[in-house]
Amino acid sequence: MLTHFIGGEPVAAGTAFPVHDPMTGAVIRQVGEADPEVVDRAVRAAREAARDWAALPVAERAGWLRRLAEGIEERFDDLVAAEIADTGKPLDQTRTIDIPRGIANFRAFAEIAAHRPDEAFHLSGVLSYTVRRPLGVVAVIVPWNLPFLLMTWKLAPALVAGNTVVVKPSEHTPGSAAVFAEICAAAGLPPGVVNIIYGHGSAGQLLVEHPWVDAVTFTGSTRTGSAIMKAVADRVKPVSFELGGKNAALVFEDCDLDRAVEGCVRSVFTNGGQVCLCTERLYVQRPIFEEFCTRLAARAQEVVPQPMISAEHREKVLSYYALARSEGAKVLAGGGTPSFGDKRDAGYFVDPTVVTGLSEWSRFNREEIFGPVCHVAHFDTESEAIDLANNSEYGLAAAIWTGGLDRAHRVAQRLEAGLVWVNTWYLRDLRTPFGGLRLSGIGREGGTQSLDFYSEPTTITIKMEQPDA
Ligand code: 6OD
C-alpha cells in the first residue's frame, strides 16, 4: 500500500482505496486514505519544520530546489512510469513535457527567488522598505490531469519563499508524488518541509480547514475551488486558484491554414482534452470555415485516443456528446467510443470529437467538458470574433491564428482571458503571470507573482532626523 510521507518518514495509515489504470480499468495500486489523524500529523510536521526552513537564507533554499531538480533527473524513468500508470498519458508527452517541467519548475524558481530585489521607497527623510516573510504551512492540492507538472509548479515557489507544505495529490494520481517523496528523503531535505498525504476530496477538506494551514493553492475544477473558498472563509486564508476554462480559438482567414489546423488539433486534443487550457470553442472566419472544418475533422480521426482519467469522467464526457446531439449538433468527427479489440476496451476512452451547428447559448458551448472535443462556428468580422470569444463565464486562455501583426495585438488585447497565445498554444515562459479571470480562478502564479502569493510583505518605515539647520 502506498504510504503517506510525513516528517520525512513513510506513514502507513488509513483505509485502503484502489487506483485504476485508465487504459484498462485494472486496479494498479492501493492507497491509504488520510483520516483526521493523518492530516493533523502532516500539518504538525510541516509547522514544526517551518521556523528553521524560513530562517534559511534564500540562497540555501534555492540550493535545495536545485538538488531536488537533480533528484528528479536521477529518478526520471521512475517518474515517467508512475505518471503513465496513473494517467494513461503517451510516453512521448510524459518524457518531453510532464516530467521535464518538474525539473524546470525547480530550477526556474531557484533562479527567480535568488535574484529578486526587495523594494525601497525614499521620500524626504523617510525611508520605507519591505521585507517578505513566508505564510507558514501551505496546503497544495493537485489535480489529476498534469499531476507532476502542477505539483512542482506550486511546490517550488512555496518552498523557496520559505514555506513548508502539505501536498494532497488527486486520489486518481498519487504515483509520481510518491516517487517525489522518495526523492526528498534521498536528498536529505529537512523532515517536515515537504509532507505528502493521499486521499479523496474529504481529505483535502480536512487539510484546508486545519487551523494551522495558512494558505491554499489549488488547480482544478471551479466547483472544488468554490468549495475550498467556503471551507477557508471563516479563517480568511489566502487562496490561489487556477480553475476551469471554456477556451476559445479564433482562426482568421489570413492565417497559415496548415499551421492553424495543426495548432488547433494540439489545443483541442492534447492529453485527451484534459488540460484547463484546451480549446473547446473554435471560431473560424467564414471564407475558410468549410475547408477548416473538413481538415480538422479529418485530423481528429487520426488522433490516437487517450483515456479519460476515470470511468466517472468518461461518463461525463459522453453525456456531453449525447447532449450535443440532443441540442441539434452536426457531428463532424467522433462522437462515440473507440473499439480496440483488446483489454483497452475496458479502459476509459472516448472518441476525439468535433461538432458544429449549436447555439452560443447551448449548454454544450457554455460548460467546461474537459474532454477531446470542440465545437466549431463561423464569424464574419474581427469584432464579432472578439464578442464570441468573450461570451463566457470563464476567462482562462485563448488562441489567435492570424498572419496579421496588427490584428494579433489588437485582438489579443481585447480578449478577456488571463492567457492569450498567438499562432501557438501552451507555449510557456515560467516567469510570466499565469491564471484566469472570473470562474477561471483567483490570483496569478508564475515568476515573481508566485513568490508574492507565497509570502507577505512587512513594510518598515524609518524617519531620519534632520540635522539642526
Ligand atoms: O503550465 C502551467 O504552469 C500550468 N499551470 C498549467 C495548468 C494546466 C491546467 O490544467
Side-chain angles (χ1 to χ4, degrees):
M1 189 165 89
L2 213 64
T3 51
H4 309 286
F5 179 65
I6 300 178
E9 302 285 341
V11 172
T15 311
F17 66 87
V19 174
H20 297 262
D21 174 359
M23 299 282 277
T24 63
V27 173
I28 48 169
R29 43 175 133 248
Q30 296 286 339
V31 185
E33 174 83 25
D35 56 18
E37 202 183 316
V38 169
V39 172
D40 186 55
R41 202 164 147 185
V43 176
R44 280 172 193 275
R47 186 164 156 124
E48 270 161 34
R51 183 187 291 228
D52 287 351
W53 182 251
L56 288 181
V58 69
E60 275 190 44
R61 290 197 299 265
W64 277 111
L65 263 58
R66 291 189 197 98
R67 280 195 282 287
L68 291 175
E70 284 161 21
I72 296 169
E73 280 171 336
E74 282 161 23
R75 298 288 305 274
F76 193 89
D77 290 342
D78 296 333
L79 286 161
V80 168
E83 198 83 328
I84 290 176
D86 285 352
T87 61
K89 283 174 194 282
L91 175 66
D92 184 50
Q93 178 192 317
T94 315
R95 291 191 68 84
T96 58
I97 299 175
D98 296 82
I99 309 305
R101 249 305 288 283
I103 299 166
N105 287 336
F106 280 107
R107 296 229 158 100
F109 283 106
E111 293 311 310
I112 293 164
H115 298 110
R116 182 177 197 188
D118 285 325
E119 287 178 313
F121 310 83
H122 197 192
L123 184 73
S124 29
V126 179
L127 173 67
S128 296
Y129 65 96
T130 57
V131 288
R132 296 199 75 93
R133 58 183 88 247
L135 302 172
V137 176
V138 176
V140 179
I141 314 272
V142 186
W144 45 258
N145 61 337
L146 304 170
F148 193 67
L149 185 158
L150 286 173
M151 177 180 74
T152 51
W153 170 243
K154 293 167 178 303
L155 261 182
L159 293 180
V160 84
N163 304 280
T164 56
V165 299
V166 180
V167 181
K168 193 200 83 64
S170 160
E171 65 274 19
H172 298 297
T173 54
S176 54
V179 177
F180 184 69
E182 293 169 8
I183 291 170
C184 293
L189 189 71
V193 170
V194 171
N195 306 275
I196 303 177
I197 59 170
Y198 305 105
H200 292 75
S202 49
Q205 176 155 3
L206 289 169
L207 175 60
V208 301
E209 283 178 349
H210 194 292
W212 289 353
V213 163
D214 298 292
V216 180
T217 175
F218 168 69
T219 296
S221 72
T222 301
R223 204 176 51 166
T224 304
S226 165
I228 294 176
M229 268 186 105
K230 287 177 190 138
V232 303
D234 282 349
R235 301 188 85 95
V236 288
K237 298 181 188 185
V239 294
S240 175
F241 286 165
E242 193 205 321
L243 306 175
K246 188 73 187 175
N247 308 305
L250 303 181
V251 184
F252 287 92
E253 63 177 322
D254 61 3
C255 72
D256 173 334
L257 195 55
D258 291 341
R259 203 171 153 196
V261 171
E262 284 315 303
C264 292
V265 167
R266 214 163 71 77
S267 77
V268 175
F269 300 118
T270 292
N271 211 41
Q274 301 168 111
V275 180
C276 55
L277 310 161
C278 279
T279 304
E280 292 194 1
R281 296 180 297 136
L282 260 159
Y283 301 102
V284 184
Q285 206 157 16
R286 200 184 294 262
I288 58 168
F289 179 72
E290 293 300 335
E291 186 180 356
F292 183 90
C293 288
T294 305
R295 289 172 66 165
L296 183 69
R299 286 289 290 110
Q301 285 162 47
E302 292 166 2
V303 168
V304 179
Q306 184 179 327
M308 302 296 92
I309 193 64
S310 64
E312 188 190 2
H313 188 53
R314 177 180 189 257
E315 285 316 304
K316 178 189 158 185
V317 174
L318 289 176
S319 77
Y320 278 95
Y321 290 8
L323 177 70
R325 287 199 175 87
S326 73
E327 287 184 321
K330 182 170 169 201
V331 179
L332 300 178
T337 56
S339 175
F340 300 98
D342 58 30
K343 59 187 179 176
R344 285 174 296 171
D345 287 339
Y348 309 143
F349 291 90
V350 299
D351 283 336
T353 293
V354 179
V355 304
T356 188
L358 291 176
S359 140
E360 285 309 301
W361 297 99
S362 62
R363 270 185 59 211
F364 189 94
N365 268 329
R366 304 210 64 80
E367 297 175 10
E368 183 183 43
I369 301 171
F370 220 61
V373 57
C374 66
H375 179 267
V376 199
H378 48 66
F379 65 87
D380 290 306
T381 64
E382 190 177 295
S383 65
E384 184 192 355
I386 294 166
D387 288 345
L388 286 164
N390 288 344
N391 181 17
S392 171
E393 290 174 279
Y394 293 96
L396 185 56
I400 302 169
W401 298 92
T402 178
L405 184 61
D406 289 356
R407 165 174 280 157
H409 288 289
R410 213 167 44 226
V411 175
Q413 290 177 25
R414 288 185 55 200
L415 289 180
E416 294 165 9
L419 306 151
V420 179
W421 282 288
V422 179
N423 294 331
T424 185
W425 176 77
Y426 199 9
L427 183 61
R428 296 281 286 113
D429 179 331
L430 304 185
R431 297 168 300 179
T432 55
F434 192 99
L437 321 175
R438 302 197 277 264
L439 289 186
S440 292
I442 295 181
R444 294 289 180 276
E445 294 188 19
T448 55
Q449 310 258 338
S450 289
L451 301 180
D452 284 350
F453 173 70
Y454 293 111
S455 65
E456 277 183 319
T458 295
T459 301
I460 300 170
T461 299
I462 304 181
K463 175 145 178 28
M464 287 168 274
E465 285 307 319
Q466 300 304 312
D468 293 340

